[in-house]
Amino acid sequence: MKIGVIGDDFTGSSDIANTLARAGARTIQYGGIPDEAAPENIDAAVISLKTRSIEPSDAVEQSLAACRWLKANGAVQIVFKYCSTFDSTPRGNIGPVAEALLAELDAPLALVCPAFPENGRTVYQGHLFVGDRLLSESGMEKHPLNPMTDPDIRRWLARQTKAKVGHIALPIVRLGALDRALAEAASRGERLIVADAVADEDLLKLAAAAANHRLVTGGSAIAEGLPRNFGILPERAGERQFEGAAGPALVISGSCSSATRRQVEYHRARRPSLMVDAADAMEAEAALPRILEFVAENRGKVPLVYSSADPEAVTAAQERHGREALAILFERFFAELALAAIEMGFRRIVVAGGETSGAVAGALGPTAFEIGPEIAPGVPALLRDGEPRLALALKSGNFGTEDFFERAVAVLGGESL
Ligand SMILES: Nc1ncnc2c1ncn2[C@@H]1O[C@H](COP(=O)(O)OP(=O)(O)O)[C@@H](O)[C@H]1O
Ligand SMILES: O=C(O)[C@@H](O)C(=O)COP(=O)(O)O
């Protein structure tokens, strides 16, 4: 293995696994730190953690354990994957984890590259944009767990870490003067270097400049250019084949992002759909049988079960029940629902929401996933080739077009779009 990735949530991990596979790297994605050794013939392994919204000290501990497993399995370069909208709070966890990984890898510095131009996330003058809006005016300022209220990534990151934060501006990236800029940053004692990037070409230049870096941090798009540093070329991506899984499909949505709420509306207008509210999540034992009955009745019709709600409803529910307590209850509820549906014979599962996906994937236990075709930018189909064989699409809240759920169900069944 050449590249070892530590992902801070499950959907983000499948996003970067997809990018690496597209770039020609033979990639495997693990749910958690595996018990066994990595296969000999892979180029990249992605360990999906669920560390985005936990205590910083826990996130550091788990990330270091993942880093050690990857190093022990031959990884030459470690990538710390976080969200392209830099999802974190003033306490972390991006800063504390990045700082701990720098120390673990004895690395002088690392790039900080959240930009993901294909999905509209760009960094300019150290500020993160989503489309033509600053991050803090993009809807992310109302995220249920990590409201992103400051678009200046340098300032936001500096609140999270003692490591000195630097910045490389777009003209330096474009002029190809990166080696010198990085050497100067190191001489100033800067350790986490926020890099401007507004197009894929910028990220390719940054990836080339990071060829000898032990640690790279960022969203998935920085990974497009990393395999070629090891002589791995995109042509191999054509070798990917995917049969998918046969069997009924279920869609679960715990994301409250605006893109997911549009997807829920689209699906609701066409397919059987049922909303789960805070009271259901709190009384899961009573609510689950009713919801499973709905799922069973609609087997074969791609039923949707969702808790996605608008920001006002989310805030009201959080004020009543507590933000974290409620998040945990919904996540546990959806994980149980997914397991019960699999027990009932469902074989294609689509989940919207990073934390929600992490909870569902976590309930499947330590698992290795094969990376299938891309359903939407940043979202691959995944296959668990165990007993039973399952096809999954685990979608970041913000990704995908309106009709994502039905597209996903088709791809998971082995159809090409
Ligand atoms: N109706 C709701 N009210 C409050 N919190 C909710 C509601 N529905 C889902 N949640 C919680 O909000 C969080 C959404 O995060 P996540 O699943 O990562 O979605 P995204 O990918 O959009 O960030 C989860 O922890 C989920 O349990
Ligand atoms: O980088 C991204 O935007 C995604 O890969 C990602 O991390 C998604 O996180 P959620 O929106 O919380 O699913």
Side-chain angles (χ1 to χ4, degrees), residues 9 11 50 52-53 83 85 87 140 143-146 253-258 260 275-278 306-310 313-318 322-332 334 351-358 395-399:
D9 85 340
T11 47
K50 194 172 181 304
R52 191 173 284 178
S53 303
C83 194
T85 41
D87 294 22
M140 281 304 294
H143 189 278
L145 299 176
N146 45 258
S253 175
S255 163
C256 299
S257 78
S258 29
T260 301
M275 182 166 187
V276 173
D277 62 17
Y306 66 98
S307 66
S308 315
D310 61 40
V314 170
T315 310
Q318 287 178 334
R323 174 186 293 203
E324 274 163 35
L326 195 54
I328 290 170
L329 284 173
F330 274 119
E331 289 172 30
R332 202 177 291 153
F334 285 131
V351 187
E355 295 298 321
T356 311
S357 294
K395 185 195 83 77
S396 151
N398 284 310
F399 289 175

Side-chain angles (χ1 to χ4, degrees), residues 114-392:
F116 188 174
E118 196 181 359
N119 269 323
R121 288 86 196 269
T122 56
V123 179
Y124 183 60
Q125 307 284 24
H127 287 61
L128 184 45
F129 290 82
V130 178
D132 65 353
R133 316 298 301 181
L134 280 164
L135 176 65
S136 50
E137 297 168 16
S138 68
M140 281 304 294
E141 71 281 13
K142 297 193 179 126
H143 189 278
L145 299 176
N146 45 258
M148 299 305 294
T149 50
D150 187 348
D152 187 334
I153 297 308
R154 301 162 298 183
R155 196 164 52 196
W156 193 251
L157 182 59
R159 292 174 74 176
Q160 301 176 7
T161 174
K162 286 194 273 321
K164 195 166 172 195
V165 175
H167 175 226
I168 293 191
L170 193 63
I172 311 259
V173 177
R174 293 254 159 120
L175 285 171
L178 277 166
D179 289 346
R180 187 161 154 205
L182 285 166
E184 285 171 4
S187 70
R188 290 190 296 269
E190 295 166 1
R191 306 205 62 206
L192 291 170
I193 317 295
V194 176
D196 282 1
V198 302
D200 287 337
E201 293 70 35
D202 303 324
L203 289 160
L204 290 176
K205 288 195 172 118
L206 287 160
N212 296 316
H213 289 192
R214 293 298 313 279
L215 177 67
V216 177
T217 84
S220 61
I222 187 66
E224 185 85 44
L226 297 177
R228 68 189 66 179
N229 291 333
F230 296 96
I232 300 163
L233 298 172
E235 287 81 71
R236 264 220 230 131
E239 289 170 16
R240 277 202 273 169
Q241 297 210 333
F242 189 74
E243 281 173 25
L250 171 68
V251 184
I252 290 174
S253 175
S255 163
C256 299
S257 78
S258 29
T260 301
R261 283 185 288 123
R262 281 197 294 277
Q263 290 155 356
V264 166
E265 279 316 305
Y266 181 95
H267 202 84
R268 251 164 49 92
R270 291 163 179 77
R271 303 276 188 173
S273 304
L274 189 66
M275 182 166 187
V276 173
D277 62 17
D280 296 324
M282 293 185 76
E283 299 292 338
E285 247 174 72
L288 201 55
R290 178 173 52 83
I291 284 155
L292 283 171
E293 203 174 306
F294 160 81
V295 169
E297 270 168 13
N298 291 294
R299 191 188 177 95
K301 297 186 191 157
V302 192
L304 161 69
V305 181
Y306 66 98
S307 66
S308 315
D310 61 40
E312 291 71 34
V314 170
T315 310
Q318 287 178 334
E319 277 168 6
R320 254 184 101 187
H321 306 289
R323 174 186 293 203
E324 274 163 35
L326 195 54
I328 290 170
L329 284 173
F330 274 119
E331 289 172 30
R332 202 177 291 153
F333 188 90
F334 285 131
E336 278 182 37
L337 173 65
L339 283 186
I342 292 166
E343 190 85 353
M344 284 160 53
F346 281 75
R347 294 293 176 263
R348 289 177 285 167
I349 312 284
V350 180
V351 187
E355 295 298 321
T356 311
S357 294
V360 169
L364 297 176
T367 311
F369 293 95
E370 186 191 310
I371 314 299
E374 186 173 80
I375 304 165
V379 195
L382 298 176
L383 188 74
R384 185 188 76 163
D385 200 8
E387 199 32 65
R389 179 185 168 96
L390 292 177
L392 294 109

Side-chain angles (χ1 to χ4, degrees), residues 12-88:
S13 298
S14 47
D15 178 7
I16 194 167
N18 176 54
T19 310
L20 288 164
R22 210 169 58 181
R26 282 172 296 227
T27 306
I28 194 161
Q29 181 178 353
Y30 293 103
I33 302 170
D35 296 329
E36 77 273 24
E40 296 270 315
N41 62 350
I42 58 167
D43 301 311
V46 180
I47 296 188
S48 330
L49 299 177
K50 194 172 181 304
T51 47
R52 191 173 284 178
S53 303
I54 63 174
E55 271 302 299
S57 56
D58 276 359
V60 166
E61 196 182 314
Q62 291 186 38
S63 306
L64 288 176
C67 181
R68 288 176 190 139
W69 185 91
L70 291 164
K71 277 201 295 180
N73 281 275
V76 179
Q77 184 168 60
I78 299 292
V79 180
F80 170 35
K81 160 69 178 72
Y82 42 76
C83 194
S84 61
T85 41
F86 215 70
D87 294 22
S88 52

